[in-house]
């Protein structure tokens, strides 16, 4: 399961997308925040709505501080991570106090900050909306959505016996606080609290400063739907909230995020959780031409990190075209604190090591060919 290599090769070779093209003279300022989330110490124990709000208030206060910092640096869009508001490891029952029913912005217009009385139990949405409005930026966050099942369910949908769906959800607010996009995560990763949506959602939203963005969440990036579908439809700028546990050798955040950006010739705004115990770190903003990213190292303080960068606006493609991707990104590609390029080793590294990745064990073996050293990964079932 050579995941990084597979997605890069699939996007570059199979789909053969066209070269990413800059809009003449166009750029925008983006920000992502790697968040050290305040976790519920007993996530399996249900909380009242009041107690759940007291908990999320701690994380939303940090969001507010970072939104202010990003705005001072000219950010026009700010991305927060998956699970950053309530945390994780909930059961279906214990997360109930954190959930809000999020209206579909494709069906109705709603500004929670300006119209707080339209719906009840939407305190989180209201706070996020007022952040976007107060700091005059587009804001992307991740939270739990509670949706009733249809009265007459279709044959293609399955509803839980409790009569409602619970979705891992990205929400997007415009700079005036209007809810402009809602995306339900398709590909769940051991998420007992949430349901898989009955249909794959292909969600984008438009901005006045950079055009269209597509929405993904964490594990989605490894799957055809919705990721490749969005790229096939010409989307060239992606929002990627994630709660990603780094797993060597193939699932490290920075390598995977950069591989996706380069392989598909797209921009990726990736915001991760910071949690040393779970090996969660790695956030950044990647284009085919530049990258700004952060990956904590052993011994670094366990704290959040705001990244802000000026990015080029990419023109959308019309679909599949012959790839003319070049390696023009070799010079001046990365910024910030993770730019340690080293020349290829002249001597072979240690002969092998054994590691795990998701639910499988991997054995790394080094062999020598007539031309160069080659590293092979043997999947141990």
């Amino acid at each position: 399961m050579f995941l990084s290599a597979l997605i890069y090769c699939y996007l570059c070779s199979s789909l053969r997308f066209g070269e990413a093209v800059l809009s003449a003279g166009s750029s925008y300022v983006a920000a992502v925040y790697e968040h050290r989330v305040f976790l519920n110490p007993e996530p399996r124990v249900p909380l009242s709505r009041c107690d759940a709000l007291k908990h999320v208030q701690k994380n939303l206060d940090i969001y507010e501080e970072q939104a202010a910092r990003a705005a001072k640096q000219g950010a026009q869009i700010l991305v927060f991570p998956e699970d950053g508001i309530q945390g994780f490891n909930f059961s279906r029952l214990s997360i109930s106090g954190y959930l809000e029913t999020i209206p579909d912005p494709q069906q109705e217009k709603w500004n929670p900050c300006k119209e707080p009385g339209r719906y009840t139990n939407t305190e989180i949405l209201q706070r996020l909306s007022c952040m976007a409005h107060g700091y005059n930026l587009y804001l992307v966050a991740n939270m739990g959505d509670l949706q009733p099942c249809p009265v007459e369910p279709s044959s293609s949908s399955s509803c839980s016996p409790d009569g409602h769906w619970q979705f891992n959800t990205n929400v997007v607010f415009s700079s005036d606080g209007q809810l402009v996009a809602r995306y339900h995560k398709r590909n769940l990763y051991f998420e007992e609290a949430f349901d898989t949506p009955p249909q794959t959602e292909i969600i984008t939203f438009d901005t006045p400063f950079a055009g269209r963005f597509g929405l993904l969440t964490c594990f989605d990036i490894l799957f055809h739907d919705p990721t490749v579908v969005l790229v096939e439809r010409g989307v060239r700028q992606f929002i990627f909230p994630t709660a990603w546990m780094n797993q060597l050798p193939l699932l490290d955040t920075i390598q995977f995020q950069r591989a996706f950006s380069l392989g598909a010739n797209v921009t990726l705004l990736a915001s991760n959780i910071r949690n040393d115990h779970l090996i969660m770190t790695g956030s950044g903003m990647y284009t085919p031409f530049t990258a700004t990213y952060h990956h904590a190292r052993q011994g670094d303080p366990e704290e959040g990190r705001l990244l802000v960068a000026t990015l080029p606006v990419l023109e959308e493609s019309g679909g599949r075209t012959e790839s003319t991707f070049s390696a023009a990104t070799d010079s001046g590609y990365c910024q910030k604190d993770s730019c340690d390029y080293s020349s290829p080793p002249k001597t072979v590294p240690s002969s092998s090591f054994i590691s795990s990745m998701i639910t499988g064990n991997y054995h790394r073996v080094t062999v020598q060919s007539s031309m160069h050293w080659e590293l092979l990964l043997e999947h141990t079932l």
Side-chain angles (χ1 to χ4, degrees), residues 54-72:
K54 288 179 181 178
H55 170 217
V56 302
Q57 192 74 22
K58 299 176 184 179
N59 291 306
L60 290 173
D61 287 347
I62 300 297
Y63 280 23
E64 184 97 34
E65 294 173 5
Q66 300 307 318
R69 290 183 60 207
K72 286 182 179 179

Side-chain angles (χ1 to χ4, degrees), residues 128-151:
L128 294 171
S129 169
C130 289
M131 279 186 217
H133 174 63
Y135 298 107
N136 191 35
L137 46 71
Y138 274 66
L139 186 146
V140 184
N142 177 271
M143 59 185 290
D145 184 16
L146 176 70
Q147 290 292 330
C149 296
V151 177

Side-chain angles (χ1 to χ4, degrees), residues 71-304:
K72 286 182 179 179
Q73 297 179 64
Q76 295 163 282
I77 185 167
L78 170 61
V79 183
F80 290 111
E82 180 187 27
D83 297 329
I85 292 176
Q86 79 280 343
F88 32 74
N89 293 331
F90 295 95
S91 69
R92 183 176 181 83
L93 177 61
S94 67
I95 202 173
S96 59
Y98 295 90
L99 302 176
E100 297 187 357
T101 298
I102 305 171
D104 184 356
Q106 295 181 344
Q107 301 297 322
E108 63 175 296
K109 292 184 178 181
W110 180 43
N111 189 314
C113 187
K114 297 179 181 179
E115 304 172 86
R118 182 185 291 191
Y119 297 105
T120 60
N121 295 321
T122 55
E123 291 87 351
I124 297 172
L125 288 166
Q126 292 172 35
R127 182 79 185 273
L128 294 171
S129 169
C130 289
M131 279 186 217
H133 174 63
Y135 298 107
N136 191 35
L137 46 71
Y138 274 66
L139 186 146
V140 184
N142 177 271
M143 59 185 290
D145 184 16
L146 176 70
Q147 290 292 330
C149 296
V151 177
E152 297 181 0
S154 66
S155 58
S156 62
S157 66
S158 58
C159 185
S160 173
D162 57 20
H164 64 267
W165 284 306
Q166 298 177 184
F167 297 126
N168 178 328
T169 307
N170 294 338
V171 289
V172 184
F173 298 90
S174 66
S175 56
D176 68 351
Q178 182 173 319
L179 179 65
V180 294
R182 181 195 73 181
Y183 168 67
H184 296 141
K185 182 180 180 181
R186 175 66 184 177
N187 302 286
L188 303 178
Y189 183 78
F190 302 108
E191 297 174 56
E192 177 185 346
F194 294 121
D195 297 303
T196 299
Q199 289 88 33
T200 299
E201 299 178 0
I202 308 300
I203 302 297
T204 63
F205 64 95
D206 292 312
T207 66
F209 52 84
R212 187 166 61 148
F213 287 84
L215 288 169
L216 306 173
T217 308
C218 201
F219 207 37
D220 283 334
I221 203 170
L222 277 75
F223 294 86
H224 183 279
D225 296 346
T227 306
V228 176
V229 174
L230 283 163
V231 179
E232 286 181 327
R233 294 185 181 183
V235 176
R236 284 294 175 266
Q237 297 166 139
F238 287 81
I239 305 293
F240 185 59
T242 184
W244 189 290
M245 296 179 289
N246 289 282
Q247 292 282 324
L248 294 175
L250 300 177
L251 289 178
D252 184 77
T253 49
I254 303 303
Q255 71 171 23
F256 208 96
Q257 293 162 10
R258 289 180 67 184
F260 177 76
S261 172
L262 291 172
N265 280 333
V266 299
T267 293
L268 183 71
L269 308 184
S271 172
N272 198 9
I273 293 290
R274 174 68 188 280
N275 185 300
D276 287 353
H277 176 69
L278 296 174
I279 324 177
M280 289 179 171
T281 183
S283 304
M285 292 166 284
Y286 312 84
T287 80
F289 318 100
T290 62
T292 299
Y293 55 86
H294 167 72
H295 192 291
R297 301 178 182 181
Q298 187 174 5
D300 286 351
E302 191 174 2
E303 59 189 11

Side-chain angles (χ1 to χ4, degrees), residues 328-349:
T329 59
D330 289 345
S331 176
Y333 182 76
C334 71
Q335 305 168 14
K336 300 297 182 184
D337 61 341
S338 301
C339 306
D340 183 17
Y341 288 121
S342 56
S343 58
K346 295 181 180 179
T347 59
V348 64

